[in-house]
Amino acid sequence: MRVLVIEDERKVANFIKHGLEEERYIVDTAGDGVAGVEMAMNNHFDAILLDVMLPGKDGFTVLKDLRDSGVSTPILMLTARGTTEDRVTGLDLGADDYLPKPFSFEELVARIRSILRRSSPDKSTKLRCGELVLDTVSHLAYRGGREIELTTKEYALLEYLMRNKNRILSRSTITQHVWKHNFDPESNIIDVYIKRLRSKIERDDLKPLIQSIRGVGYRMRETTQDE
Ligand code: CA
């Protein structure tokens, strides 16, 4: 899942970025409010971490601009100011949650998982599709009782497919949520990763989960027993 961090203190931004990358997120950063709005409008992020005190445009204005423009990405406000008034302002402007600074990294990650769950039909920290289970805390996958180890990219791809199961996803949509930069649409990188993922999660004795949709992309399909 792809996360945008809008934070002007470079040290804090880098700390969050590196930590989230270890947690398998794809992370972009913006150092001021104006750049943050621009990046959020022109890309498809799955969550945004937004600092309140920012140069250019403060966090509340960024939040208001994004919501007024119809950007519905879940937003977690980071605030040094612990007053009730600030929290209420943020929530009323359309923030999904807030976290007062200083915060523990563990809590930040738990809150990101929580806001991602709210926008997903699956409310558990474990995503399921048929007998395939993906644990978003341990980053391990299981199918038919067998543990499957995934690389960072395979995990990011599988998480995105599972959060959007039964939906047909174009290659460009997958790219926008799983890779940081858009690459040549003719590139077969997604197909290469899908192939690797299939070799890990698909089994001859079980129904295939990842369907190829000719000319479009892929779909993670949950089938019922009698299909
Ligand atoms: Ca700040």
Side-chain angles (χ1 to χ4, degrees), residues 99-146:
L99 186 59
K101 286 181 182 175
F103 49 80
S104 75
F105 190 75
E106 273 183 330
E107 184 175 4
L108 175 73
V109 176
R111 283 183 190 268
I112 294 174
R113 280 196 297 264
S114 154
I115 60 172
L116 287 173
R117 275 201 301 280
R118 282 184 225 169
S119 52
S120 147
D122 227 323
K123 302 296 174 202
S124 159
T125 55
K126 292 187 173 72
L127 304 174
R128 288 165 206 279
C129 187
E131 333 73 7
L132 179 68
V133 179
L134 184 65
D135 186 324
T136 61
V137 179
S138 72
H139 304 126
L140 288 168
Y142 301 87
R143 192 168 188 200
R146 203 183 57 182

Side-chain angles (χ1 to χ4, degrees), residues 7-9 51 53-54 101:
E7 163 67 80
D8 58 313
E9 283 167 73
D51 187 29
M53 305 286 276
L54 288 170
K101 286 181 182 175

Side-chain angles (χ1 to χ4, degrees), residues 16-25 27 105 139 152:
I16 295 174
K17 183 179 193 289
H18 292 141
L20 289 182
E21 283 173 350
E22 274 177 29
E23 292 290 325
R24 317 283 177 104
Y25 292 97
V27 186
F105 190 75
H139 304 126
T152 300

Side-chain angles (χ1 to χ4, degrees), residues 44 169-178 182 185 190 216-217:
H44 296 264
L169 302 166
S170 69
R171 285 185 178 76
S172 74
T173 300
I174 296 172
T175 306
Q176 284 161 359
H177 289 269
V178 180
N182 293 342
I190 290 185
V216 185

Side-chain angles (χ1 to χ4, degrees), residues 38-94:
E38 201 185 303
M39 284 182 77
M41 303 255 225
N42 294 311
N43 295 278
H44 296 264
F45 292 100
D46 298 292
I48 297 172
L49 305 190
L50 174 59
D51 187 29
V52 172
M53 305 286 276
L54 288 170
K57 228 175 219 187
D58 69 76
F60 294 130
T61 312
V62 169
L63 177 62
K64 189 173 181 305
D65 284 1
L66 293 178
R67 293 304 187 230
D68 286 352
S69 314
V71 174
S72 60
T73 312
I75 295 179
L76 173 64
M77 303 286 293
L78 304 175
T79 171
R81 298 186 286 183
T83 70
T84 310
E85 205 187 334
D86 270 2
R87 293 179 217 158
V88 171
T89 305
L91 294 171
D92 280 347
L93 284 172

Side-chain angles (χ1 to χ4, degrees), residues 121-122 128-130 160-169 208-211 213 218-224 227:
D122 227 323
R128 288 165 206 279
C129 187
Y160 186 69
L161 293 174
M162 289 184 79
R163 283 195 192 274
N164 293 284
K165 68 183 174 190
N166 300 320
R167 279 182 58 197
I168 294 175
L169 302 166
L209 295 169
I210 303 175
Q211 264 190 313
I213 311 292
Y218 295 96
R219 170 165 65 177
M220 187 96 194
R221 188 150 176 261
E222 187 156 51
T223 51
T224 53
E227 252 184 279

